[in-house]
Amino acid sequence: MTIENISCNKSFGGWHKQYTHRSEVNRCTMRFAIYLPPQCSNGTKVPVVYWLSGLTCSDENFMQKAGAQRVAAELGVAIVAPDTSPRGDDVADDDNYDLGKGAGFYVNATQSPWTTHYHMYDYVVKELPAIIEENFPVSDKRAIAGHSMGGHGALSIALKNPGMFASASAFSPITNPVNCPWGQKAFTAYLGDDKSAWEAHDTVCLINASKAHTPMLVDQGLDDNFLAEQLKPEALQHAAEANQYPLTLRQHEGYDHSYYFIASFIDDHLRFHAGHF
């Protein structure tokens, strides 16, 4: 598949690059960013952390705000950040921020008008890793992480694909989307009224049904204004305890839902993943 480089910036001895390409699964032009640590300069293949961003975000939010490049360069880890949804004039959208463009929820839509383009699950699990491993000096060692909607995507995708990712982590994830307004709205639109289809993308439901254990780290700010209604970390903790799932859940006084929170603890997440490669 042909990819086009649209930006390139040196950072901590490595390179942050953006690319566009025609996505077969989303039937539109997609953009992703990749940070290649300095170890790649001599052809060394490095492991990859896939980062999934939250509502309203693109590939740029994490790469520009999280400050992850310094430790990624130290550890010799690449970071790949896809967009959060399909884009383009012919791609279905909604007037609200929590549906449509910027709000793909990392599922394959089965309902009109979304099903034409919204196949973010296949994009993250199949198409994007194939592109990355074909075009860049990376190994087949992978981890996955994300924030908010992207935290939902990272944890649920890791659970649905045991063995694909060595570890998974999240900041402020939507842990139980079948039981929160964001998830119920998106899943109804993208997947229809069949609740079993919803549960197949719900981290709490997946942990309750899981026989494979991918190590997980989750950080949650206790001053997050979405905490009680949308994120529900207590449901995640209960499911993990009930199923003896290897989850580390850390809750932090004073931190909110912003990238100030992510930047405060992103080093821990990268070191967590590096320890499982």
Side-chain angles (χ1 to χ4, degrees):
M1 179 178 292
T2 300
I3 61 174
E4 180 182 356
N5 179 230
I6 59 171
S7 75
C8 184
N9 303 93
K10 195 163 189 178
S11 178
F12 293 98
W15 293 94
H16 168 270
K17 301 182 179 184
Q18 284 179 304
Y19 290 85
T20 60
H21 70 98
R22 178 70 184 178
S23 169
E24 296 300 324
V25 298
N26 288 325
R27 301 177 187 174
C28 67
T29 297
M30 294 291 293
R31 188 177 74 190
F32 68 87
I34 184 168
Y35 176 70
L36 295 167
Q39 291 84 350
C40 291
S41 62
N42 62 7
T44 299
K45 290 190 174 184
V46 300
V48 184
V49 175
Y50 288 86
W51 173 269
L52 307 184
S53 289
L55 290 166
T56 76
C57 292
S58 70
D59 64 290
E60 294 185 333
N61 298 74
F62 177 79
M63 290 301 204
Q64 294 180 4
K65 295 180 179 181
Q69 290 88 348
R70 178 180 61 82
V71 170
E74 173 195 325
L75 297 172
V77 172
I79 302 173
V80 172
D83 202 346
T84 52
S85 77
R87 308 277 182 175
D89 292 341
D90 60 340
V91 172
D93 199 8
D94 189 85
D95 290 337
N96 297 299
Y97 75 95
D98 53 357
L99 190 67
K101 295 177 187 177
F105 268 84
Y106 305 102
V107 300
N108 291 336
T110 60
Q111 306 300 303
S112 178
W114 314 103
T115 189
T116 301
H117 297 286
Y118 284 75
H119 299 122
M120 288 301 296
Y121 177 84
D122 279 352
Y123 183 70
V124 171
V125 173
K126 299 176 182 178
E127 188 172 39
L128 184 60
I131 291 170
I132 298 302
E133 291 169 20
E134 178 181 348
N135 289 280
F136 301 99
V138 300
S139 71
D140 59 0
K141 295 179 180 179
R142 313 177 197 92
I144 192 166
H147 171 231
S148 193
M149 176 187 73
H152 138 74
L155 300 184
S156 62
I157 285 172
L159 284 159
K160 289 174 68 64
N161 296 275
M164 182 174 180
F165 301 99
S167 51
S169 73
F171 290 85
S172 316
I174 304 171
T175 68
N176 194 200
V178 302
N179 288 318
C180 79
W182 277 342
Q184 291 167 348
K185 177 178 180 177
F187 285 0
T188 299
Y190 296 144
L191 303 175
D193 296 326
D194 181 2
K195 298 294 177 65
S196 66
W198 299 12
E199 292 173 357
H201 294 278
D202 182 290
T203 297
V204 168
C205 296
L206 288 165
I207 284 179
N208 286 330
S210 178
K211 292 183 172 60
H213 287 176
T214 300
M216 288 184 178
L217 171 64
V218 172
D219 277 316
Q220 176 61 61
L222 292 177
D223 278 24
D224 190 320
N225 57 323
F226 301 115
L227 180 61
E229 184 179 28
Q230 304 284 11
L231 307 181
K232 303 185 181 297
E234 69 283 352
L236 177 65
Q237 186 169 36
H238 178 75
E241 290 173 352
N243 293 280
Q244 298 183 309
Y245 199 91
L247 166 73
T248 298
L249 173 62
R250 309 189 305 183
Q251 302 189 71
H252 305 271
E253 294 285 350
Y255 286 94
D256 57 20
H257 201 72
S258 72
Y259 268 83
Y260 295 108
F261 174 44
I262 295 171
S264 298
F265 298 101
I266 189 61
D267 291 4
D268 292 351
H269 284 240
L270 292 177
R271 295 189 192 282
F272 169 76
H273 294 304
H276 289 283
F277 285 138

